[in-house]
Amino acid sequence: MKNFSTSTLAFDISQFFPSLNHYLLSLILEKVEFDIHVIKFFSNYLVERKTHYFWNNFSFPYFNINVGVGQGSALSPILFTLYLSPFLHTLEKQLKNLKIPISFLLFVDDGLLVAQSKSLQLSNFCLFFSYNVALILLLDFGLLVKHSKTEIFYFSRSIGLFNPFSLDLSSLGGPTLCSKETWKYLGFIFNRKLFHQHINFYLNKSISIVKYMKILGNLVWGLNPHQKWLLYRSCVLLIALYRFQLWYYNNAPLAYPLKLLGKMQRRAAIWILGVFKTFPPFSVEAIIGLIPINLHLKKLSGRSQLQAYSLPPNHILCSLIEPKEDSLYYQHPLSLGSLTRC
């Protein structure tokens, strides 16, 4: 939102899959009124389970386990969703009753609290109390948060020195959190102004790959231009454009990323065709069949949007997408339309 700063608090649920309570999960299945055969299946699937451990040639005896589900099991994601559904419902209800304006996201065992306010001090206040509420609820569900992995990060478009407040979680058993210059979360790299660091990391990584292709020597000896073209399209481009939807959107400043992408593609084209650096850039790209990088991004962006339009109208992602003019569906306050009009 315009003139608002965004503050985030990320935390990790310790030993999530091994900590799910079987009895509580059975009660949840009954509460949501699943078919009796489904309830009986999961009840029989979870009870009287045993396990044992091996260490070199030494084997521990079998022992009973009354908590946890297999992390690699195909049923684990379904059980996880069912288990945390009442937690998310209760958390949302309590935060609403306390009038704490917080958005809560959960990526399996990684939780994220998001606060937006004109005052960072007010955002810290909201994050502290919502984190406390989440800790108490998770404890009721038999789950614990690993405080050592808890992180805080602030986004701001302010120009000049930015010195945010620290967040003291010592009263909750956690550390005092200070925001870093960059934040790596779930494969994304953030800086204060959103995705500049993410762009730099993946584009420079791709440029380095193209640059050092030339010194592989005999490892690439005998590769024809078509094979080099396939190597570039299937490896280098995928890294360079990893999650490009984060920074390629309506009214976004694209001069800097397009400059780096053009530099990368020009080097790749010269390596593929084996010509001199003085060769006209658009000519060498046309000869080897590489479309200009800006048009390639436009094509990929259009195709990615088609995936969203294939979702059912009541899907949660539809509320985050800019609606059509004749759409009667609810638009989320953090939808792309609201974010890109500022």
Side-chain angles (χ1 to χ4, degrees), residues 8-10 124 147-154 162-169 174-183 192:
T8 58
L9 181 69
N124 275 5
H147 293 295
S148 60
K149 291 187 177 181
T150 304
E151 297 178 298
I152 193 170
F153 194 79
Y154 303 96
F162 181 71
N163 189 20
F165 301 97
S166 60
L167 181 61
D168 187 7
L169 299 177
T176 299
L177 303 178
C178 297
S179 181
K180 301 177 182 178
E181 291 296 324
T182 59
W183 177 42
R192 306 235 180 271

Side-chain angles (χ1 to χ4, degrees), residues 106-250:
L106 194 64
F107 308 97
V108 189
D109 58 346
D110 295 306
L112 186 66
L113 298 168
V114 183
Q116 287 187 314
S117 174
K118 293 183 179 181
S119 169
L120 290 179
Q121 192 170 4
L122 179 60
S123 295
N124 275 5
F125 174 83
C126 295
L127 290 175
F128 178 86
F129 280 96
S130 57
Y131 185 63
N132 186 26
V133 173
L135 288 180
I136 296 172
L137 284 177
L138 286 172
L139 189 61
D140 292 338
F141 279 76
L143 302 172
L144 297 174
V145 171
K146 196 170 185 177
H147 293 295
S148 60
K149 291 187 177 181
T150 304
E151 297 178 298
I152 193 170
F153 194 79
Y154 303 96
F155 297 94
S156 175
R157 296 185 180 273
S158 60
I159 300 174
L161 183 64
F162 181 71
N163 189 20
F165 301 97
S166 60
L167 181 61
D168 187 7
L169 299 177
S170 57
S171 59
L172 304 180
T176 299
L177 303 178
C178 297
S179 181
K180 301 177 182 178
E181 291 296 324
T182 59
W183 177 42
K184 190 172 183 180
Y185 185 68
L186 302 180
F188 305 110
I189 303 173
F190 302 94
N191 64 338
R192 306 235 180 271
K193 296 187 178 180
L194 215 56
F195 301 114
H196 289 181
Q197 193 68 24
H198 180 89
I199 296 170
N200 287 340
F201 178 80
Y202 285 102
L203 290 188
N204 287 328
K205 188 174 183 179
S206 303
I207 290 175
S208 299
I209 293 174
V210 174
K211 182 178 179 181
Y212 291 106
M213 283 287 189
K214 302 175 184 178
I215 64 174
L216 289 177
N218 293 331
L219 294 178
V220 294
W221 189 261
L223 288 180
N224 57 47
H226 178 67
Q227 292 170 329
K228 293 179 180 179
W229 179 87
L230 285 176
L231 184 62
Y232 169 72
R233 290 295 303 270
S234 58
C235 297
V236 180
L237 266 184
L238 294 181
I239 296 175
L241 303 181
Y242 177 71
R243 296 303 182 192
F244 73 96
Q245 296 93 340
L246 296 173
W247 51 265
Y248 187 84
Y249 55 88
N250 186 29

Side-chain angles (χ1 to χ4, degrees), residues 4 6 12 24 54 74 76-77 101 126 153 161 173 180 191 196 202 224-225 260 279 282 297 302 312 314 329:
F4 276 58
T6 301
D12 179 75
L24 179 57
F54 285 94
S76 295
C126 295
F153 194 79
L161 183 64
K180 301 177 182 178
N191 64 338
H196 289 181
Y202 285 102
N224 57 47
L260 285 181
F279 205 88
F282 293 107
L297 280 169
N314 60 345
Y329 299 119

